[in-house]
Amino acid sequence: MSRGISVATFFLVLQFGLLIFVFPQSIIQSEPSGHWMVIIIGWLIQGFMLRLFIGGLRTEKTSLLTKLQQSGLWLRLGLVWPYILSNMVAIGVMIRGHAQILSILYLPQTPLWVLLVLLIVTALSISYAERDSLLRLSLVIGAFGLPLLSFTIISAINYANLDMIFPIKPTFDFMDEPRILPAFSIFVNVFGLIGFFGPYAESEKRWLWGAWVVSLFFFLMNVYLPLSAFGQEVADNLRFPMIVLLDTVRVNWFFFDRLSLFYIMATMFSTLINISGLLWVTRQLAHHSSFVPRLITNPLIVGSFAIVFAYFVPSLEDLERLLLSGGPLRFFLLFILALASVYYRNRAKIGGQPRA
Amino acid sequence: MLVNRSKTQRMHIVEQLGHALDFHIQPLQIRGIPLEMIALTSLVDVGATARRLSEAGREHASDWEELLGALGAEATQEDLVKGLLEGRTLILQPEGTGAAWVQSEVQQLNRPVGTTNNQNILVSSQTGFIEDLTTNIGLIRNELRSPDLKLANIDIGSREKRRILVLSLTNAADPAFVTDIEKALQEHANTPFASLQQVSRWLRSTPRWSPLPSFVKTESPHEVAFFLKKGRIVLLVEGYPEAIVIPVELPDLFIADTDRDYTPVTAFMIIAFRILGALIAIFAPATYVALISVNPDVMKIELIYSIAQSRVGVPYPSLTEALILLFIIEMLFEALVRLPKSIGPAMTMVGGIILGQAVVEANLVSSLLIIIIAASTIANFTVIGYHFTLVIRLWRYIMLLFASIFGPLGIVCGFYLMLSLVSSATLMRHPMIPFKPVTKKE
């Protein structure tokens, strides 16, 4: 039971940090109405990927991570190393985006590179530990982060005006809107980690599916709260609609003015554990390799690369352009990994030794 | 069968201990057989021992073996000097042969069993451990009359041996864990004993910079029984009036055994206040510095004015102000621990006046900071266990440093680092954050 809760909390905690960045504006800007359809499609894609990565409800004995660690040269060159590179870029994108947001909102005097280093150094602390340590950390982070997030969402609900969310009839305008692409990469990014934390027992999988259902609530809140407060026309022009909404919220009995501080704190926890998780997976994938691959995938080296990469991204707009092109590529890689997971599971079921 | 030894054993004893002021060698005649009694007068009441031996041997004995039988003597199988140093009494034949141990009348060197000295216990057994190992075992047996209580004895040290007892309940503790602990201690059996931290390093390979303790200390046998029933292992170290409970778990900071005596609702309330106290102790000074120095805009305007007014005339930044006050508090803590009881209350008053009034009137610190530091200091001690209060005291400074540079983000990062340390802390595969299915033990 306890591991099931940790895995489910890990899933939720990984999600909400990514929601702050490009998710709300991507969804709001992609469609004039009926945003719920885009969210549900993304959520279902997430469910589909989850099914591929972890399988049905039966207990699994295969570990994708172990199989990839033991894989042969061609699989490593064709799949594992591109995934490792993609992780490095993903870490760079995350720290750049969040450092920029923090610089804009709270720390305008602090040099950007200092914030980048701070995020990496903080996340490094647990990237050398075991898998269970990360799950325990996610449980504790969830215990602090989720109530903070819930508090901000509940405070913002007072400002919601249901009339503003109409019309709710969906259109298919998002299909030819490139700005939706980063949102989809956010939907699936979490599988870059969850898929490697198996094998999962039956009870753990039930908890994970439960967490997947709950995550829909966060997706909808992140989009519909700003929409219901500002309306489509105003929200369409906002870069960080949720943060602007939370800065508008006034809680009389509270001594803080800007509630977005708590939202940012909760998302920072999530971002840090995201980065720690990616550093951990990257290190684990080369665990049985020779000296040079292990050196390259050392969290310190990966973190340094991510800082350098993030520093040379000129602006937030360039970062978003990077997500436009890089997001689908990462999705494609994760999809191939998910198919690999299916392959290994099926081989294990028929009793064969999967060719690594 | 009692073993005869060579004549050189007496010479060896005299060589090793003969120079000591408390070394005593006394000729006796019991049942017509001459013998010598050797003991250390600092550990043995030689007069009472000699009287008892004389009374025991009233009738005539035909030989040495019969005499030893009448006196209830024991064979000497180990180092004689070591036995004398442990407070035993040796009898020898005048030629120096035929050594045997007899029952000693020990000197009362231990203080009587009383209440705990460094631990306050509410509405529960007040008995506390003392330095004597045998008494401590008796106190535990008094609380836990179970045949499942297992005691393993390990002597640590090269020339000077220190006894460590490993206690566990066979129907509660993980047998593999118990074996691992015993094995880890046995591997260092010839290492001189220095401190409990040294023992902790034998059991858990942690980096030296990690501030987290790997054990809980308790002076209460009642609490030890509670921990044993939960499947923990308890170490009793000779000469220490505390029991060492391993492994340490995060709930130990907030949940005491006496909480079970309350209703669930009230127990939950008390535990919640302890957790809140720990968070206030860690966050309060850092939050003050973060909000004053880095991000005052997140607070309400009325609060900003109020804080600004309280800081009028303070000539340095809030970080310096906080560090000065924290340093004074730390000095006060350390001084109060060492002060004689007659001076302590006076010093407390002086410290309070200096901290409370004079330093504010001199505009060295703001009055708000006094309130925050006082609250943080009091909140620090809501946590159970002195070791953990030290960790919180340390982490307060780390958070302060982060907060002064990065504001609220620094608090998040500092807290994340602390949680990472706690999440990755393990002792022989037992993590500090235990998440296991709840099983009912004895």
Side-chain angles (χ1 to χ4, degrees):
Chain A
M1 182 187 90
S2 60
R3 193 156 184 270
I5 296 175
S6 342
V7 170
T9 312
F10 190 47
F11 182 85
L12 286 173
V13 166
L14 289 175
Q15 299 264 50
F16 64 71
L18 300 169
L19 297 181
I20 187 180
F21 189 33
V22 293
F23 177 78
Q25 66 262 34
S26 294
I27 302 287
I28 291 170
Q29 287 165 2
S30 67
E31 282 227 289
S33 66
H35 306 87
W36 56 269
M37 192 172 79
V38 184
I39 295 170
I40 286 178
I41 290 173
W43 178 69
L44 288 172
I45 292 174
Q46 206 182 53
F48 172 69
M49 293 287 279
L50 188 65
R51 178 66 174 83
L52 287 181
F53 263 109
I54 71 168
L57 279 175
R58 268 183 269 170
T59 299
E60 295 299 339
K61 293 199 176 99
T62 51
S63 161
L64 179 64
L65 183 63
T66 311
K67 296 301 177 201
L68 292 178
Q69 281 172 341
Q70 295 161 352
S71 56
L73 178 68
W74 291 110
L75 192 69
R76 296 191 75 73
L77 285 175
L79 186 60
V80 176
W81 277 100
Y83 174 64
I84 288 173
L85 273 164
S86 156
N87 276 353
M88 291 179 179
V89 171
I91 293 169
V93 164
M94 261 190 248
I95 59 173
R96 181 66 167 88
H98 286 91
Q100 189 80 62
I101 292 170
L102 290 163
S103 183
I104 293 168
L105 294 175
Y106 295 109
L107 297 166
Q109 311 294 331
T110 309
L112 198 65
W113 67 268
V114 173
L115 294 173
L116 297 174
V117 169
L118 173 71
L119 291 173
I120 289 290
V121 166
T122 310
L124 267 177
S125 53
I126 198 151
S127 56
Y128 289 92
E130 299 166 0
R131 171 177 35 201
D132 282 353
S133 300
L134 268 162
L135 290 177
R136 283 192 291 271
L137 179 62
S138 71
L139 211 47
V140 187
I141 295 272
F144 287 100
L146 289 169
L148 275 176
L149 203 65
S150 308
F151 168 66
T152 56
I153 288 174
I154 289 166
S155 308
I157 282 175
N158 276 336
Y159 287 69
N161 181 354
L162 281 178
D163 294 331
M164 297 281 222
I165 68 172
F166 291 98
I168 57 169
K169 188 178 167 196
T171 65
F172 286 93
D173 291 0
F174 70 91
M175 299 283 279
D176 52 6
E177 177 56 70
R179 282 182 289 187
I180 196 59
L181 292 172
F184 277 103
S185 71
I186 282 160
F187 273 120
V188 299
N189 195 60
V190 70
F191 298 102
L193 288 172
I194 286 288
F196 293 101
F197 274 73
Y200 296 107
E202 186 188 327
S203 59
E204 288 159 16
K205 286 186 183 182
R206 272 193 257 122
W207 278 97
L208 209 45
W209 283 111
W212 172 69
V213 171
V214 170
S215 65
L216 179 63
F217 169 77
F218 286 113
F219 294 140
L220 290 168
M221 284 292 115
N222 253 284
V223 172
Y224 274 99
L225 272 177
L227 265 180
S228 59
F230 299 124
Q232 173 67 28
E233 285 75 24
V234 173
D236 201 54
N237 298 316
L238 294 173
R239 173 158 254 155
F240 304 117
M242 191 66 182
I243 292 172
V244 172
L245 169 64
L246 290 170
D247 275 345
T248 318
V249 169
R250 292 283 174 270
V251 181
N252 291 329
W253 52 266
F254 205 37
F255 45 83
F256 285 103
D257 220 14
R258 294 176 64 185
L259 241 59
S260 59
L261 175 69
F262 297 97
Y263 185 76
I264 297 276
M265 284 169 81
T267 51
M268 284 315 303
F269 277 131
S270 167
T271 305
L272 287 168
I273 201 168
N274 249 303
I275 297 169
S276 295
L278 285 172
L279 287 170
W280 180 85
V281 161
T282 309
R283 177 171 174 255
Q284 291 298 317
L285 283 169
H287 193 58
H288 295 308
S289 302
S290 56
F291 176 71
V292 171
R294 272 187 291 127
L295 182 68
I296 294 170
T297 55
N298 187 291
L300 198 57
I301 305 295
V302 172
S304 308
F305 172 84
I307 290 171
V308 169
F309 172 82
Y311 187 71
F312 285 107
V313 175
S315 66
L316 213 49
E317 288 76 20
D318 293 302
L319 196 68
E320 286 169 13
R321 272 196 286 274
L322 191 64
L323 274 175
L324 275 178
S325 52
L329 199 61
R330 186 159 169 83
F331 173 76
F332 174 71
L333 259 174
L334 287 171
F335 183 67
I336 300 295
L337 275 169
L339 291 178
S341 183
V342 173
Y343 168 74
Y344 288 127
R345 267 202 312 278
N346 287 337
R347 291 286 298 188
K349 272 182 202 156
I350 62 175
Q353 288 299 317
R355 283 189 296 276
Chain B
M1 175 74 180
L2 295 166
V3 178
N4 278 327
R5 294 197 181 247
S6 68
K7 292 180 188 178
T8 56
Q9 62 192 355
R10 188 182 184 283
M11 280 165 53
H12 175 67
I13 292 167
V14 171
E15 204 176 86
Q16 290 283 308
L17 298 175
H19 60 278
L21 188 66
D22 56 345
F23 181 74
H24 178 86
I25 192 163
Q26 179 181 342
L28 290 175
Q29 191 167 40
I30 300 174
R31 292 194 177 189
I33 297 175
L35 54 92
E36 280 183 328
M37 185 179 80
I38 302 176
L40 294 173
T41 55
S42 57
L43 299 174
V44 175
D45 185 345
V46 291
T49 308
R51 266 194 306 278
R52 192 177 54 73
L53 290 176
S54 301
E55 277 164 21
R58 286 230 174 104
E59 291 166 25
H60 182 72
S62 59
D63 62 7
W64 176 248
E65 299 283 346
E66 201 182 305
L67 175 65
L68 293 180
L71 294 177
E74 238 179 81
T76 54
Q77 281 165 354
E78 70 283 350
D79 180 16
L80 300 181
V81 170
K82 185 183 163 210
L84 287 169
L85 286 169
E86 284 175 4
R88 304 183 86 174
T89 302
L90 188 69
I91 54 172
L92 290 167
Q93 288 183 318
E95 310 89 59
T97 58
W101 298 112
V102 290
Q103 187 71 28
S104 303
E105 299 295 326
V106 295
Q107 295 280 24
Q108 282 308 313
L109 296 174
N110 294 308
R111 58 188 167 99
V113 173
T115 56
T116 55
N117 285 326
N118 297 310
Q119 199 173 330
N120 281 332
I121 299 175
L122 284 176
V123 291
S124 181
S125 165
Q126 304 283 316
T127 318
F129 288 125
I130 62 170
E131 289 76 7
D132 180 48
L133 215 50
T134 313
T135 311
N136 291 344
I137 296 168
L139 290 171
I140 293 172
R141 284 208 187 276
N142 205 30
E143 292 284 343
L144 199 59
R145 297 176 196 274
S146 169
D148 298 317
L149 181 64
K150 180 187 159 202
L151 283 82
N153 171 32
I154 298 159
D155 289 334
I156 304 286
S158 48
R159 291 215 19 111
E160 175 242 331
K161 291 281 185 189
R162 181 76 65 125
R163 187 155 290 168
I164 298 182
L165 286 179
V166 181
L167 284 81
S168 57
L169 271 185
T170 51
N171 64 341
D174 175 10
F177 184 50
V178 178
T179 312
D180 287 341
I181 297 287
E182 288 172 15
K183 201 172 143 197
L185 290 173
Q186 289 286 7
E187 276 168 13
H188 295 91
N190 292 321
T191 312
F193 176 84
S195 64
L196 294 177
Q197 193 53 31
Q198 177 199 43
V199 174
S200 163
R201 276 201 300 277
W202 295 342
L203 302 176
R204 181 178 100 167
S205 55
T206 88
R208 275 189 178 261
W209 48 261
S210 173
L212 295 174
S214 50
F215 53 79
V216 176
K217 273 173 148 185
T218 176
E219 290 184 59
S220 166
H222 188 76
E223 220 168 58
V224 163
F226 167 71
F227 281 122
L228 283 169
K229 287 180 197 171
K230 281 175 77 174
R232 309 281 190 95
I233 292 173
V234 172
L235 304 181
L236 290 177
V237 181
E238 192 179 5
Y240 279 78
E242 295 129 347
I244 312 302
V245 180
I246 47 175
V248 68
E249 292 179 358
L250 193 63
D252 295 337
L253 273 79
F254 307 113
I255 303 174
D257 67 317
T258 49
D259 293 340
R260 296 184 305 166
D261 299 330
Y262 307 130
T263 59
V265 172
T266 46
F268 177 76
M269 179 191 75
I270 291 168
I271 292 164
F273 278 132
R274 289 187 193 132
I275 295 172
L276 194 62
L279 293 174
I280 289 171
I282 298 171
F283 286 129
T287 308
Y288 173 84
V289 169
L291 296 180
I292 301 293
S293 297
V294 183
N295 287 117
D297 50 304
V298 300
M299 292 185 291
K300 285 212 158 90
I301 195 79
E302 300 89 348
L303 190 57
I304 297 173
Y305 280 143
S306 170
I307 293 170
Q309 270 182 320
S310 76
R311 292 200 77 238
V312 166
V314 177
Y316 30 70
S318 54
L319 174 66
T320 315
E321 194 190 346
L323 284 173
I324 287 172
L325 209 49
L326 282 170
F327 184 58
I328 292 172
I329 295 273
E330 295 295 341
M331 281 198 300
L332 207 59
F333 274 145
E334 288 304 307
L336 285 172
V337 163
R338 285 167 185 75
L339 280 172
K341 289 190 176 128
S342 50
I343 304 175
M347 277 306 298
T348 313
M349 199 169 64
V350 166
I353 292 170
I354 290 171
L355 292 172
Q357 197 164 346
V359 78
V360 172
E361 283 180 0
N363 279 333
L364 293 175
V365 297
S366 66
S367 48
L368 178 63
L369 183 64
I370 301 262
I371 297 168
I372 285 171
I373 298 290
S376 169
T377 307
I378 293 166
N380 194 13
F381 292 98
T382 57
V383 159
I384 299 166
Y386 185 64
H387 272 68
F388 298 112
T389 63
L390 291 176
V391 175
I392 288 174
R393 266 161 75 178
L394 172 69
W395 214 265
R396 206 160 51 171
Y397 292 99
I398 295 172
M399 294 290 269
L400 206 55
L401 186 66
F402 272 104
S404 64
I405 305 172
F406 300 108
L409 168 67
I411 292 176
V412 169
C413 291
F415 195 47
Y416 185 88
L417 277 172
M418 189 183 82
L419 293 178
S420 301
L421 253 184
V422 170
S423 304
S424 53
T426 56
L427 189 140
M428 292 194 176
R429 300 174 309 278
H430 282 71
M432 194 170 173
I433 300 181
F435 277 101
K436 301 171 205 169
V438 174
T439 51
K440 294 218 184 310
K441 298 196 189 290
E442 183 199 4

